């Protein structure tokens, strides 16, 4: 079984082009729909690399499953471009059949409102995601305590709220800026409206959900003990393998032997400084 990962695949006019995560984000149009109205932005993590790795992972598992019944291996090809193109499906179909691409909307949603950050009196942004008419009515009545907004002609439907987004945001801001972060969160939680606070990366590392679910393990490394996150897939009665971080070249000989090179050749290469 063979799995290859490339930038653009083994065929087509881009087959020989060099590819990095930023460049693939550019080619598939992701940057054009990410960022603020004035500033296109790349995604903050290496999303093309990660997407390709995940599709390689699922492809290998699928091939192993097929081999178990057919007895035959196969060759798997994954490219960063193809992987991120799959993730661009919504934007592509929205553009192809709707006539225009999703607008860059910063932290807000291009086609849902209210959906994004609203600052409290303390200056903390509270992120909201109102997805249906029932939630909108509860939000107006129990959180904003402005039930009249639910029946406002500008805000009766999601499409109208998107059309009148500025007026909608002003109405929410008028209430939120008079309330503390704690008061807003209490109202949102009691009403069961979806929300989140904007954590820093440091706050994410110390997130109580990670601790409560036992997501951290201590592992060894050449630099000393480190904390590492467990894999996100949880399997009943299976403890994830969390080995030590290897030192540079620690497994070179074992890998070369697995590839069929004899000990004498490996020793010669090491003496020559090839490995």
């Amino acid at each position: 079984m063979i799995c290859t990962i490339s930038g653009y695949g083994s065929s087509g006019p881009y087959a020989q082009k060099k590819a990095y995560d930023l460049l693939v984000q550019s080619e598939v149009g992701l940057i054009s729909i990410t960022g603020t109205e004035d500033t296109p932005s790349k995604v903050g993590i290496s999303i093309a690399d990660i997407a390709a790795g995940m599709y390689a992972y699922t492809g290998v598992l699928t091939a192993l499953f097929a081999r178990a019944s057919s007895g035959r291996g196969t060759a798997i090809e994954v490219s960063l471009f193809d992987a991120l193109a799959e993730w661009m499906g919504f934007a592509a179909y929205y553009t192809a059949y709707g006539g225009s691409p999703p607008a860059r909307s910063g932290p807000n949603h291009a086609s849902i409102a209210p959906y994004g950050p609203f600052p409290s009196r303390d200056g903390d942004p509270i992120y909201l995601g109102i997805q249906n008419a029932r939630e909108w009515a509860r939000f107006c009545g129990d959180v904003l305590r402005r039930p009249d907004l639910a029946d406002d002609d500008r805000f009766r439907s999601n499409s109208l709220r998107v059309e009148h987004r500025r007026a909608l945001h002003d109405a929410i801001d008028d209430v939120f800026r008079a309330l503390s972060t704690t008061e807003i969160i209490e109202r949102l939680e009691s009403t069961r409206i979806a929300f989140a606070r904007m954590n820093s990366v440091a706050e994410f590392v110390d997130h109580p959900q990670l601790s409560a679910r036992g997501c951290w393990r201590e592992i060894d490394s050449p630099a000393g003990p480190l904390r590492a996150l467990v894999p996100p897939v949880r399997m009943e009665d299976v403890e994830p393998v969390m080995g030590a971080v290897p030192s540079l070249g620690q497994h070179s000989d074992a890998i070369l032997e697995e590839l069929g090179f004899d000990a004498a050749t490996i020793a010669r290469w090491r003496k020559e400084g090839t490995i």
Side-chain angles (χ1 to χ4, degrees):
M1 188 176 301
I2 299 171
C3 179
T4 61
I5 300 178
S6 63
Y8 293 99
S10 59
S11 60
Y14 278 50
Q16 301 303 315
K17 285 181 71 71
K18 291 183 177 180
Y20 298 103
D21 191 274
L22 169 65
L23 308 184
V24 175
Q25 288 191 39
S26 299
E27 288 288 346
V28 302
L30 178 58
I31 289 178
S32 75
I33 61 171
T34 304
T36 66
E37 183 177 347
D38 298 324
T39 307
S41 303
K42 75 177 186 68
V43 177
I45 59 174
S46 299
I47 192 170
D49 294 341
I50 296 169
M54 295 305 296
Y55 281 117
Y57 168 68
T58 57
V60 168
L61 292 180
T62 301
L64 288 171
F65 186 77
R67 190 183 67 177
S69 57
S70 70
R72 295 190 303 273
T74 188
I76 301 164
E77 180 182 357
V78 178
S79 78
L80 276 66
F81 182 83
D82 290 349
L84 205 53
E86 171 76 9
W87 287 12
M88 283 290 291
F90 168 78
Y93 299 134
Y94 185 101
T95 303
Y97 298 109
S100 61
R104 287 195 303 274
S105 53
N108 299 296
H109 196 288
S111 58
I112 303 175
Y115 196 108
F118 296 89
S120 70
R121 184 181 64 206
D122 307 319
D124 299 322
I126 306 296
Y127 280 73
L128 302 176
I130 307 297
Q131 296 277 12
N132 55 59
R134 182 182 66 256
E135 286 185 341
W136 169 242
R138 289 209 316 270
F139 177 71
C140 291
D142 298 335
V143 178
L144 299 182
R145 297 180 182 170
R146 288 281 311 276
D148 57 294
L149 290 177
D151 295 321
D152 190 302
D153 288 340
R154 298 168 298 173
F155 309 140
R156 285 180 181 274
S157 68
N158 178 69
S159 59
L160 288 170
R161 292 194 293 275
V162 171
E163 181 181 349
H164 299 283
R165 191 191 299 271
R166 184 65 271 159
L168 172 71
H169 284 206
D170 288 344
I172 297 173
D173 285 340
D174 285 345
V175 177
F176 274 28
R177 289 185 189 280
L179 300 172
S180 69
T181 301
T182 300
E183 289 172 318
I184 294 171
I185 289 176
E186 286 176 350
R187 291 189 186 186
L188 290 167
E189 286 185 334
S190 65
T191 313
R192 298 188 60 79
I193 296 294
F195 78 95
R197 298 185 64 176
M198 186 180 72
N199 286 325
S200 66
V201 177
E203 288 171 324
F204 160 69
V205 170
D206 292 329
H207 202 291
Q209 187 72 359
L210 294 177
S211 299
R213 286 177 53 78
C215 293
W216 292 106
R217 297 289 187 278
E218 184 174 288
I219 61 173
D220 291 327
S221 81
L226 300 172
R227 283 200 310 165
L229 288 170
V230 299
V233 177
R234 308 294 181 93
M235 296 179 65
E236 187 176 1
D237 298 326
V238 175
E239 175 66 20
V241 176
M242 301 286 287
V245 177
S247 58
L248 182 63
Q250 179 179 332
H251 298 135
S252 295
D253 288 7
I255 293 171
L256 291 169
E257 288 173 2
E258 185 176 336
L259 293 173
F261 296 100
D262 58 70
T265 300
I266 296 172
R268 174 167 56 82
W269 285 345
R270 188 170 295 283
K271 184 177 180 180
E272 294 171 349
T274 306
I275 59 172

